[in-house]
Amino acid sequence: MIKFYDKRHYYFLAIYLVTNYILHILSITDAVYVHGADASRYFVPALSLANGDGLGNLLSTGPIYPFFLSIHYAIFGFDYGNDALVVTQSALLYLTGIIDSKIAIKIMPNLPLIRWITMLLVIFNPNALMAAHLVQTETLFTLFLVSFLYVLMNLIRQRNGIVVLAFIALLISLTRPAGMYIMLIFILPSLILKLNGVSWRKLVSINLVYYLILLSGLGLWSLNNYNKHGEFFISANEGMVFHDQYIALLQYGKNMSQSEANVIAYEVYEDMIVKESAVCNKGVSSFECRKIVSRAYIDAILNENLYVIAKASISSFVNLMFSGGASNFANYYGIDNKASVLSFERSSGSMLSLSKAIKFIDSVNIKYLIALITFWGFAILTKILLIIGLIHVFSNSNNKYLSIIVIFYILLFSAEYLFLGQSRWRVPLDPLIMIYSALGVLSTINFYKKS
């Protein structure tokens, strides 16, 4: 078997990067940043930093990804910088696959082939590949998350690495601030250490070091924002986040169209304006109104009955897990799909509605339909294999506690997305899922060998 230090491994990496660059060349002009969701919030401060003008005002994101981008723009300029970015992010996806394969072998050490299957599923995942071709945080964030879990497993088994773990947690938090909330509840997964024989004194010291580093780093960034805006905060987009969450709740919990949900969401906003006598210069996205806006939409969400919330949550979870990401592919290569996608997203009905799905498929062109089948097929097949893999690991593995940690983080991030399940949000979770999908592949092969 080829080892990771084998020269052939690096030949494979070179071919992988060249192939991704060729695929990038075939894309439409400026697709890297034009079709990257929220790309402007990253490349505008990155260009500013590359030009020596600092990061500017980062209200809705952390500094890590703009800094990462700025390196490319400082060296290659904007256009060539985006070309280089595709190669760099493809290399990061490849590295993610390697680290993920090391997690897989920790969970199932008696199945050496699982390393390669896991790695191949990660680096050829079409959803992750498209994210690597766009100005989005997903690829870098995913690398950090997988690295975090790898170091956490080493901490559990070897009792060292807490400083490295804490710094990775800080990188996660400052790359995508939503990840900060997951990193802040480290005390829960750290209890696995106690179950694995660590004393209470050692467990407390580990948590003290972790939180000291994480909170110190977050505090410094918060202080930077205070110096610029007069408030301590890490990210200031909570108003828009809960606004979008509420609209999604109405769409998928009450079968409303997007236009109907928008009307009701605006009414909530107007009521809040009157009640608070607020002046919001930029509407829902206003920096100065973000706290009262988010509070208004949280109250609106909590005022819905549990059936509506549960229905929207289930619909979102299914969409998160099974959406393929074909829209990114179509946009990247100029395949016409916008009319059918917008109609699907804005029409009334749950994401689980069969009639809605059939109507959508009937409306798309053949090129986009082929992309849908490919992307959806990969998503569905890997989830089936995931189930098979989970059954196997909890029936045969002696390292169940390692799997519990992985599943814990999958569920935490899934819950954090609430009603906004999208394929791009699954990119950081896919490597964790692929571990068990790879095990599902091996279990299926072994089953047919025995039959």
Side-chain angles (χ1 to χ4, degrees):
M1 182 182 296
I2 300 174
K3 303 295 183 182
F4 282 110
Y5 51 77
D6 194 298
K7 287 184 179 179
R8 287 172 291 179
H9 182 65
Y10 297 99
Y11 295 151
F12 183 61
L13 170 60
I15 294 170
Y16 181 78
L17 296 181
V18 169
T19 301
N20 271 281
Y21 185 69
I22 292 171
L23 291 174
H24 164 61
I25 292 173
L26 297 175
S27 67
I28 65 173
T29 305
D30 300 330
V32 174
Y33 66 91
V34 170
H35 295 298
D38 304 320
S40 61
R41 75 166 67 168
Y42 309 120
F43 71 72
V44 170
L47 283 172
S48 176
L49 185 60
N51 293 328
D53 299 324
L55 282 168
N57 297 327
L58 294 179
L59 293 176
S60 57
T61 186
I64 300 298
Y65 191 68
F67 177 77
F68 171 75
L69 280 181
S70 72
I71 297 172
H72 296 79
Y73 298 151
I75 296 173
F76 300 103
F78 184 66
D79 292 327
Y80 291 116
N82 284 318
D83 294 340
L85 177 69
V86 171
V87 177
T88 303
Q89 292 192 157
S90 298
L92 293 184
L93 177 59
Y94 194 90
L95 179 58
T96 300
I98 293 175
I99 298 172
D100 200 47
S101 70
K102 293 178 180 293
I103 294 176
I105 203 67
K106 285 180 181 294
I107 294 173
M108 296 299 295
N110 60 325
L111 295 174
L113 194 58
I114 197 173
R115 288 181 74 175
W116 283 102
I117 298 176
T118 300
M119 178 181 168
L120 292 173
L121 286 175
V122 170
I123 67 174
F124 290 116
N125 174 7
N127 190 30
L129 274 171
M130 287 314 308
H133 282 244
L134 298 170
V135 175
Q136 290 181 334
T137 61
E138 272 69 19
T139 303
L140 188 62
F141 184 84
T142 303
L143 173 63
F144 290 150
L145 178 59
V146 171
S147 300
F148 177 86
L149 289 176
Y150 176 72
V151 176
L152 177 57
M153 289 183 181
N154 283 340
L155 175 67
I156 290 171
R157 301 181 72 175
Q158 300 171 11
R159 310 292 195 267
N160 58 48
I162 185 58
V163 173
V164 175
L165 186 73
F167 275 109
I168 296 174
L170 180 59
L171 291 174
I172 288 172
S173 303
L174 295 180
T175 300
R176 182 187 289 174
M180 170 182 65
Y181 303 104
I182 306 298
M183 295 300 103
L184 284 172
I185 59 174
F186 171 72
I187 192 169
L188 293 179
S190 74
L191 292 175
I192 291 287
L193 287 162
K194 180 60 183 172
L195 298 176
N196 206 36
V198 171
S199 67
W200 282 112
R201 177 177 293 181
K202 178 70 172 178
L203 182 63
V204 170
S205 66
I206 284 172
N207 274 274
L208 284 175
V209 172
Y210 177 90
Y211 283 108
L212 177 63
I213 293 172
L214 177 59
L215 294 177
S216 296
L218 292 176
L220 288 173
W221 179 245
S222 182
L223 181 61
N224 169 78
N225 287 329
Y226 176 81
N227 290 333
K228 291 182 177 180
H229 305 285
E231 289 186 40
F232 290 102
F233 65 89
I234 303 300
S235 176
N237 66 334
E238 59 263 42
M240 278 302 300
V241 169
F242 285 109
H243 167 267
D244 294 344
Q245 293 281 8
Y246 183 59
I247 289 175
L249 170 66
L250 296 177
Q251 280 187 270
Y252 308 133
K254 289 190 169 182
N255 297 335
M256 290 184 181
S257 66
Q258 189 177 59
S259 58
E260 291 171 328
N262 280 330
V263 169
I264 295 177
Y266 188 70
E267 289 174 355
V268 171
Y269 170 74
E270 284 189 317
D271 290 343
M272 180 275 300
I273 291 291
V274 173
K275 181 180 178 181
E276 300 288 341
S277 300
V279 177
C280 304
N281 295 322
K282 294 184 179 180
V284 174
S285 61
S286 298
F287 169 76
E288 67 276 9
C289 292
R290 70 189 191 280
K291 292 180 180 178
I292 56 175
V293 168
S294 59
R295 191 162 59 244
Y297 286 115
I298 290 172
D299 289 342
I301 290 171
L302 294 177
N303 284 334
E304 296 293 341
N305 65 60
L306 289 178
Y307 171 77
V308 170
I309 293 174
K311 183 179 177 183
S313 299
I314 293 170
S315 179
S316 172
F317 182 77
V318 171
N319 192 43
L320 174 69
M321 288 298 161
F322 292 97
S323 57
S327 292
N328 276 341
F329 176 84
N331 292 333
Y332 195 68
Y333 291 106
I335 299 172
D336 183 25
N337 72 305
K338 285 185 172 58
S340 55
V341 171
L342 287 175
S343 176
F344 177 74
E345 290 177 343
R346 295 176 178 177
S347 62
S348 60
S350 166
M351 296 297 286
L352 304 178
S353 169
L354 180 60
S355 60
K356 183 174 178 176
I358 292 173
K359 183 179 179 181
F360 170 63
I361 292 172
D362 287 341
S363 67
V364 301
N365 65 50
I366 186 64
K367 290 182 179 179
Y368 187 50
L369 183 59
I370 292 172
L372 275 177
I373 292 171
T374 302
F375 281 67
W376 271 350
F378 185 89
I380 293 170
L381 178 59
T382 51
K383 301 312 174 299
I384 294 171
L385 292 169
L386 163 71
I387 295 170
I388 297 172
L390 286 174
I391 293 172
H392 180 96
V393 80
F394 283 103
S395 301
N396 301 283
S397 175
N398 293 322
N399 293 323
K400 295 182 180 66
Y401 62 93
L402 297 182
S403 286
I404 290 171
I405 289 175
V406 174
I407 295 167
F408 176 75
Y409 279 97
I410 291 174
L411 293 177
L412 274 182
F413 277 99
S414 299
E416 188 177 44
Y417 300 136
L418 202 55
F419 313 120
L420 285 173
Q422 299 175 20
S423 60
R424 63 176 291 213
W425 304 134
R426 198 184 67 244
V427 172
L429 304 182
D430 273 342
L432 313 184
I433 291 169
M434 296 311 164
I435 294 171
Y436 302 99
S437 297
L439 183 55
V441 171
L442 291 174
S443 298
T444 304
I445 291 172
N446 289 334
F447 174 79
Y448 281 106
K449 279 184 177 180
K450 292 177 182 178
S451 61

